[in-house]
């Protein structure tokens, strides 16, 4: 049987993408990364994809800042389907996905967020937790819906907040947890998948 295909979307440095690709290469994550797509031309995540021999695509998002223009999102769906992606993995992707992608990949889009959702959705979640005086925060893997970090929670990992933490030190510790949790959760989803592959 064909391997389970994932497509990774991101706009940043790509540390989660690297962790996922490493786990695939080492045989701990039973999937095949079929495409990495970014809406930022020079994003580190695209260079990481190339390093691992995964097709890396820059997709111009259009003129809007928070979402793709409709034509761009239709092109995004086309590329993901052409690459035979079974599961979309968001890794530092900053735009809100709308109808075409959500409908084409219902319950097949996941994200990792740097807080224990439903606490602290949105940007700089680690800084929000620190400012609120929390002693514990963490990261969450969740399905993606039309809201901002509102989809069904799949798994979480706690991270302690230490007395001398700064936003930078706390974010770094959360990212270590993300890089362990995210590939492991993807592997569990692959194992549990009732759909065999690319029959969208
Ligand atoms: C991650 O820390 C994740 O929590 C958030 O975006 C960040 C992306 O970092 N969704 P990277 O590009 O994977 O290094």
């Amino acid at each position: 049987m064909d391997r389970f295909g994932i497509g990774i979307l991101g706009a940043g440095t790509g540390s989660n993408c690297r962790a996922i690709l490493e786990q695939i290469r080492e045989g701990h994550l039973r999937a095949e990364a079929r495409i990495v797509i970014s809406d930022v031309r020079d994003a580190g995540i695209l260079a990481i994809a190339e390093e691992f021999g995964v097709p890396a695509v820059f997709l111009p998002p259009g003129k809007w800042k928070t979402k793709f223009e409709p034509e761009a999102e239709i092109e995004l769906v086309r590329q993901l389907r052409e690459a035979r992606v079974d599961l979309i993995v968001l890794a530092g992707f900053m735009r809100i996905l709308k109808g075409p992608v959500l409908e084409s990949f219902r319950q097949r889009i996941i994200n990792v967020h740097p807080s224990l959702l439903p606490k602290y959705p949105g940007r700089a979640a680690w800084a929000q937790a620190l400012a609120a005086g929390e002693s514990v925060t963490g990261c969450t893997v969740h399905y993606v819906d039309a809201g901002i970090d509102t989809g069904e929670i799949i798994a979480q990992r706690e991270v302690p907040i230490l007395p001398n933490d700064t936003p930078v030190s706390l974010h770094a510790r959360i990212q270590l947890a993300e890089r362990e949790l995210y590939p492991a959760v993807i592997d569990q989803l692959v194992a549990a998948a009732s759909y065999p592959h690319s029959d969208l």
Side-chain angles (χ1 to χ4, degrees):
M1 192 173 83
D2 212 3
R3 296 202 89 186
F4 190 95
I6 64 171
I8 303 173
L9 270 54
T13 56
S15 67
N16 281 285
C17 178
R18 178 180 291 284
I20 290 163
L21 297 179
E22 282 175 357
Q23 292 296 302
I24 290 174
R25 187 171 60 191
E26 288 165 21
H28 303 307
L29 170 44
R30 295 159 284 178
E32 182 180 17
R34 299 225 166 101
I35 193 166
V36 173
I37 300 176
S38 182
D39 56 313
V40 176
R41 192 186 295 275
D42 59 355
I45 195 169
L46 292 178
I48 290 172
E50 285 170 4
E51 183 188 325
F52 281 79
V54 177
V57 174
F58 162 61
L59 182 61
K63 60 180 181 297
W64 295 341
K65 283 208 159 55
T66 58
K67 57 188 177 183
F68 280 106
E69 282 190 16
E71 301 75 25
E73 194 165 293
I74 288 166
E75 173 62 12
L76 176 65
V77 171
R78 194 193 66 73
Q79 298 232 11
L80 290 163
R81 287 188 167 188
E82 190 176 281
R84 296 181 303 117
V85 164
D86 297 301
L87 179 73
I88 302 174
V89 174
L90 304 188
F93 184 73
M94 303 304 283
R95 290 174 191 269
I96 302 167
L97 293 174
K98 309 300 279 186
V101 181
L102 295 176
E103 282 153 26
S104 300
F105 290 86
R106 197 177 292 278
Q107 286 294 90
R108 298 183 188 201
I109 311 173
I110 61 173
N111 182 43
V112 65
H113 180 78
S115 77
L116 298 175
L117 290 172
K119 279 188 163 181
Y120 313 120
R123 289 180 184 255
W126 58 91
Q128 295 184 50
L130 194 60
E134 300 277 4
S135 57
V136 176
T137 183
C139 55
T140 301
V141 179
H142 64 94
Y143 287 107
V144 172
D145 63 14
I148 297 177
D149 306 320
T150 50
E152 180 191 342
I153 291 170
I154 303 169
Q156 295 185 306
R157 173 80 53 93
E158 289 190 354
V159 173
I161 298 181
L162 305 179
N164 294 327
D165 260 334
T166 63
V168 171
S169 66
L170 179 57
H171 187 207
R173 196 168 331 104
I174 293 172
Q175 285 199 306
L176 291 178
E178 290 180 343
R179 288 172 216 153
E180 286 183 13
L181 181 67
Y182 210 13
V185 168
I186 296 168
D187 187 61
Q188 285 172 12
L189 291 176
V190 172
S194 55
Y195 41 94
H197 57 87
S198 301
D199 52 357
L200 299 174

